[in-house]
Amino acid sequence: MIDHVPSAPPASRTYGPRSRLARTRAVTVALAVAAFALFILTMMVGSFYVPAWDVITSAFHLRDEPSVDFVVRDLRLPTATAAVAVGVALGVSGLLFQKLLGNPLASPDFVGISAGASMFAVTAIVLFGAGSTMISASALAGALTSAFIIYVLAWRDGISGYRFILIGIAVSQFMMSIIGYIVARAELYEARQAMTWLVGTVGQAGSTELRTLLGALLVLVPAALVLQRPLRVLELGDDTAKALGARVEISRLALIAVSIVLIGFATAVAGPIMFVALIAGPIAQRIVGHSGGGIVAAGLVGSIIVLGADLVAHHVVPVALPTGVITGIIGAPYLIWLLATVNREGRGG
């Protein structure tokens, strides 16, 4: 009689971590290719069409051709670069917030960070007639100030996700009411300028603000990757994290700081472009897998959303619109679906 020989374990079970790593890398590369394609497409289309190769050679200084260089480098490259940078900042910031607070509704859009930036920026526009640099600096200061207020109010021997979110929503509504009062008492021109900024659109900041955002990304995105391991420990809960030797509050404060500074710089450059931070992280987690980390993927998804929304806002709809209008149209149905799903699953608090 021939003895039964047990079959070998499935390959996916034997090489699970390796398979997940390969999937993460493949998805990240695919997202990077998609973002790069949209980046080039953004500089191709317009009143003056530029072929893709001419865009690449001009944008990367591979060849000099004055007529093409003026259109690509001077007119379109700053807007396309701002869309990529803002999208990366929003995507990474949103994912950090959601994973840190353990709630899919945790987004800087709703917990007062963007509202604080908006209140300070509108104040600078209406009361001081500020230029783009002053507006951007005011927005960054507002984001940091509102975050500090929320953190202090939410602190009770630690930070609870739901308490942070609820206090953030309350602070956001308070600041939005102040914005409404300031705009209502403003002159017509100042009110229109403030409302345009409040909707959010890429390409409205100057080169100094854009370079500052790019510099911040070069520092903060690697910092977020370094903090990814403490973040995974914090997701297990404070008690478990402390048992594993994690410095819970220091790690949480560092993660919150990275996320807030990212959203502050992004808002300073483009205004409060809504819903990108909310939807980029979950999309990245869905296609990468929850065990894959997803910080880089979230940033790339954010850039794809902003680039795509800006293309639609300027070249698809009959009348040119701010980028934030398109992201709002995309994000509002997702928020409704998310609220219904969270409520059914009993995670609504």
Side-chain angles (χ1 to χ4, degrees), residues 322-343:
T323 313
V325 173
I326 305 301
T327 61
I329 293 172
I330 297 171
Y334 171 80
L335 178 60
I336 295 172
W337 172 83
L338 182 62
L339 288 169
T341 303
V342 168
N343 186 55

Side-chain angles (χ1 to χ4, degrees), residues 177-259:
S177 65
I178 296 177
I179 291 172
Y181 174 78
I182 294 173
V183 172
R185 296 185 62 86
E187 299 293 334
L188 180 60
Y189 171 77
E190 294 168 340
R192 292 179 64 179
Q193 184 182 4
M195 293 306 298
T196 300
W197 192 91
L198 284 170
V199 175
T201 187
V202 296
Q204 64 180 349
S207 58
T208 301
E209 295 78 21
L210 180 55
R211 285 196 296 268
T212 303
L213 173 58
L214 292 173
L217 289 177
L218 290 176
V219 175
L220 295 174
V221 172
L225 293 173
V226 170
L227 291 169
Q228 189 167 240
R229 178 171 292 182
L231 176 60
R232 289 174 178 169
V233 176
L234 290 177
E235 288 183 272
L236 301 175
D238 286 4
D239 293 337
T240 303
K242 290 176 182 177
L244 293 173
R247 304 174 72 176
V248 173
E249 290 308 323
I250 293 177
S251 298
R252 180 181 286 119
L253 185 59
L255 285 160
I256 290 177
V258 168
S259 181

Side-chain angles (χ1 to χ4, degrees), residues 223-312:
L225 293 173
V226 170
L227 291 169
Q228 189 167 240
R229 178 171 292 182
L231 176 60
R232 289 174 178 169
V233 176
L234 290 177
E235 288 183 272
L236 301 175
D238 286 4
D239 293 337
T240 303
K242 290 176 182 177
L244 293 173
R247 304 174 72 176
V248 173
E249 290 308 323
I250 293 177
S251 298
R252 180 181 286 119
L253 185 59
L255 285 160
I256 290 177
V258 168
S259 181
I260 288 167
V261 174
L262 280 172
I263 197 73
F265 276 114
T267 306
V269 168
I273 298 182
M274 300 297 289
F275 294 111
V276 178
L278 177 69
I279 65 180
I283 292 174
Q285 291 284 283
R286 179 64 62 91
I287 60 180
V288 172
H290 290 277
S291 60
I295 288 178
V296 175
L300 291 171
V301 171
S303 67
I304 290 170
I305 293 172
V306 177
L307 282 166
D310 193 59
L311 279 168
V312 172

